[in-house]
Amino acid sequence: MRALIPIFALALAMALTPLISAAQPADEELPPLIGDALVAPARASLSSAADARGPSQYMAGRVAVRLVLPESDGSAEPSTQDWTPAEIEYVTAQTQRALDWWAAQLPLARLSFALRVDVVPTKYEPIAHGLADEDLWISDVLARLGYTGPSHWDQIYAAGNAHRDATGSDWTTTIFIVDSSNHPTSHFVDGRFAYAYINGPHMVVTSNAGAYGAARLAPVIAHEFGHIFGALDQYAAARVSCERRSGYLNAPTSNSQYGGCGGREPSIMLEPLGAFIAGQVDASARAQVGYRDSDGNGLIDPLDTTPSVALSTDRLAASSGRPMLVGEARDLPFPAPYQQQVSLNTIAAVQYRVDGGPWLPAPAVDGAYDATAEAFAVELPLYDGSYTVEVRALNSAGVASTPTRQQVTVSGLGPAPDYSPAAPAVVASLSLPVSLAAPASTAAVQLSERPDFVGAPWLPYAAEMPFTLAPGDGPHAVYVRFQDAAGLASLPFALPVTLDTVAPTGWAARDPSSPTRLVLNAHDATTGVTGVEVRIGDGAATWQPYERLLEL
């Protein structure tokens, strides 16, 4: 019996020699993986948000992968297989290789994996069983990992969700690799050697992958991983019709070779070995795992989501009597015809503006925008009058919601003071002079390049004040807000400024076709070239508008 071995960090060579020496059959001699795509029974209850989301609806985002290697201890059945350190290292590397392969094929999916490996004792010898009694050894293995439940299904979901939560992942799956290194056929008793459940929660593969052999373990795992996220088999023997739909997007199996679909695109779901080497996933399999960009905007459909904003009933801030802007922003999932609709995008920001002014941040109630739904609240720095307030949310994909408008009327605070800040439009140094026209009773002023003014101190009011820009030529925005004698802050003002610290470069030459004309070629990456200084002989230098041809 071996001890429980959790392996959390893996740095494994991807090119390892096979652990069996038997000759490998040619690709054309290998049978298709018939009967390997199964459907898990419907769950009786969903006890958590993770359960409602499902283990693996579409292949995008971060996936928590738990690789479980059962080790028979001989206590209930004879132990015929024993994992060696080299075998553990090898199957782990092949699993990682299969995961990396999918990440390489789906570059817009933002795929990453959190792989955990557990070598776990069991009183059973898994290779001596079949699909019908997988619950015996799976239940025993997961119980020893601390996951119990009324069925092995409940244990698998619990183990997967725990790994998902621990790693902050979006999806989860469990891969059981059963040691078959000393088995004559590397098949279970029912003839299977690899199978997976459509859209999860797990797959089971023998370490020698049946007739495929240990050297081809990675392509077999990659094929089964396609099932985990909804892709169906495409070889004729699987008898999957062209119209059979699957996955989050409910996409048809249009590349199936059963029933005369009319096409044969190389694919990991059709020819695992050749497609793995060539890096091929056909369009229908990509769609079934959720990898489809219907509008060509660089976001696959499940990640091409839009946030929404719902505003709550008006209320006043207790301390100032000013109106509060309160509501909830929520990212709306891409529609799924039959599965639970899920968005992996989070709310990244909520912004508001008043009467078409600059967009300003509204903070999250819990202090950070990092979830699919976020409550927000901000005190509106308004004085007496009627205003149009617009609110929008932005998600982690950079998509903004359509602004929600609300009319706000304020009374009892007095008219807004006459504030009028100004700054040069272009400066050549980091020091920016800012003019701060305001009533003499103004108490303080705040300047920042951040619209939330984080880290910016309130300074005693002065009519002129220097501000130091952050380094970096190009457009900047300086935000200014005032505080009146009663301690009420104004709406922020946004002052656009361009920093250009690098002089133009170029050359001048006499035009060979005209002795009184110069040919100029000048360039400035930030603000362009607008003028040229010309001096003829000992005369005074004069500035003239820049033109490519300059008459003297």
Side-chain angles (χ1 to χ4, degrees):
M1 171 178 172
R2 291 190 172 89
L4 185 68
I5 308 173
I7 306 173
F8 296 96
L10 303 171
L12 301 172
M14 302 311 295
L16 299 175
T17 56
L19 299 179
I20 59 174
S21 58
Q24 304 299 318
D27 291 2
E28 60 270 14
E29 299 173 1
L30 293 170
L33 286 80
I34 301 175
D36 68 317
L38 310 175
V39 178
R43 303 194 64 185
S45 63
L46 303 176
S47 59
S48 67
D51 289 339
R53 167 177 283 198
S56 45
Q57 293 208 60
Y58 51 85
M59 202 183 299
R62 185 162 177 79
V63 184
V65 180
R66 185 187 284 268
L67 175 59
V68 178
L69 309 180
E71 176 63 274
S72 58
D73 61 16
S75 61
E77 297 177 348
S79 175
T80 62
Q81 312 293 318
D82 291 295
W83 287 108
T84 67
E87 289 171 343
I88 294 171
E89 183 181 23
Y90 182 77
V91 299
T92 301
Q94 294 308 298
T95 301
Q96 186 67 60
R97 184 182 174 205
L99 301 177
D100 292 342
W101 184 89
W102 273 106
Q105 311 320 310
L106 310 179
L108 300 180
R110 308 187 319 219
L111 271 176
S112 65
F113 301 96
L115 178 62
R116 171 188 174 126
V117 184
D118 293 305
V119 182
V120 191
T122 174
K123 61 186 177 182
Y124 300 101
E125 182 55 82
I127 195 64
H129 295 271
L131 172 64
D133 56 357
E134 71 167 14
D135 60 306
L136 290 176
W137 59 270
I138 288 180
S139 182
D140 184 44
V141 163
L142 294 181
R144 297 187 191 221
L145 282 172
Y147 304 101
T148 59
S151 73
H152 76 294
W153 295 105
D154 296 281
Q155 293 172 276
I156 292 170
Y157 285 116
N161 287 340
H163 187 32
R164 167 160 53 185
D165 292 344
T167 57
S169 296
D170 302 303
W171 309 114
T172 183
T173 193
T174 301
I175 301 175
F176 295 95
I177 297 186
V178 171
D179 190 358
S180 63
S181 57
N182 293 325
H183 194 274
T185 67
S186 192
H187 288 71
F188 293 106
V189 295
D190 57 8
R192 287 184 166 87
F193 61 87
Y195 58 88
Y197 291 86
I198 301 297
N199 287 117
H202 71 284
M203 74 169 76
V204 178
V205 183
T206 64
S207 63
N208 281 13
Y212 284 71
R216 297 183 173 105
L217 182 59
V220 172
I221 294 174
H223 175 87
E224 301 302 331
F225 202 74
H227 292 320
I228 290 293
F229 282 91
L232 301 182
D233 287 321
Q234 298 175 356
Y235 32 81
R239 302 177 68 84
V240 176
S241 69
C242 315
E243 296 79 21
R244 174 88 174 272
R245 293 176 175 269
S246 183
Y248 187 83
L249 300 177
N250 197 39
T253 317
S254 55
N255 198 49
S256 175
Q257 301 307 294
Y258 175 74
C261 298
R264 188 182 178 89
E265 187 179 350
S267 178
I268 191 71
M269 306 313 296
L270 174 60
E271 302 162 332
L273 300 185
F276 187 85
I277 294 171
Q280 295 166 321
V281 186
D282 74 287
S284 67
R286 288 197 300 270
Q288 288 179 341
V289 301
Y291 196 80
R292 184 184 69 194
D293 181 7
S294 297
D295 57 9
N297 68 346
L299 291 172
I300 61 172
D301 289 353
L303 300 182
D304 197 359
T305 60
T306 303
S308 67
V309 170
L311 297 178
S312 303
T313 305
D314 296 346
R315 72 170 190 256
L316 300 180
S319 59
S320 66
R322 285 178 147 177
M324 294 289 297
L325 185 66
V326 180
E328 183 186 68
R330 182 178 295 272
D331 199 60
L332 304 178
F334 191 90
Y338 298 106
Q339 294 190 20
Q340 175 72 23
Q341 297 185 12
V342 176
S343 173
L344 301 188
N345 292 326
T346 59
I347 298 299
V350 174
Q351 299 173 330
Y352 74 96
R353 67 180 179 183
V354 177
D355 291 342
W359 287 106
L360 304 169
V365 169
D366 64 3
Y369 285 111
D370 54 9
T372 303
E374 292 279 2
F376 61 89
V378 63
E379 179 181 320
L380 295 176
L382 303 176
Y383 291 88
D384 289 0
S386 295
Y387 306 88
T388 299
V389 179
E390 296 175 280
V391 188
R392 70 180 182 184
L394 292 85
N395 66 17
S396 53
V399 178
S401 66
T402 300
T404 298
R405 290 176 174 82
Q406 186 177 66
Q407 295 300 125
V408 175
T409 300
V410 181
S411 62
L413 296 177
D418 187 13
Y419 299 128
S420 183
V426 180
V427 291
S429 72
L430 299 181
S431 181
L432 175 72
V434 181
S435 172
L436 301 167
S441 61
T442 301
V445 65
Q446 203 174 23
L447 296 93
S448 176
E449 287 195 63
R450 294 179 53 131
D452 56 7
F453 293 89
V454 169
W458 283 101
L459 302 172
Y461 170 70
E464 299 285 340
M465 191 172 293
F467 177 77
T468 302
L469 295 170
D473 281 15
H476 290 246
V478 176
Y479 295 89
V480 180
R481 64 180 175 183
F482 300 86
Q483 188 180 77
D484 66 17
L488 295 178
S490 71
L491 273 169
F493 296 82
L495 307 178
V497 178
T498 298
L499 177 62
D500 187 358
T501 62
V502 179
T505 59
W507 51 263
R510 186 182 296 274
D511 188 345
S513 64
S514 174
T516 61
R517 187 163 57 201
L518 293 178
V519 177
L520 305 180
N521 189 316
H523 172 74
D524 186 277
T526 304
T527 57
V529 180
T530 60
V532 58
E533 186 180 42
V534 178
R535 176 183 294 165
I536 301 176
D538 295 330
T542 59
W543 283 97
Q544 301 183 32
Y546 173 75
E547 296 178 354
R548 290 295 306 275
L549 298 177
L550 181 64
E551 293 291 342
L552 300 178

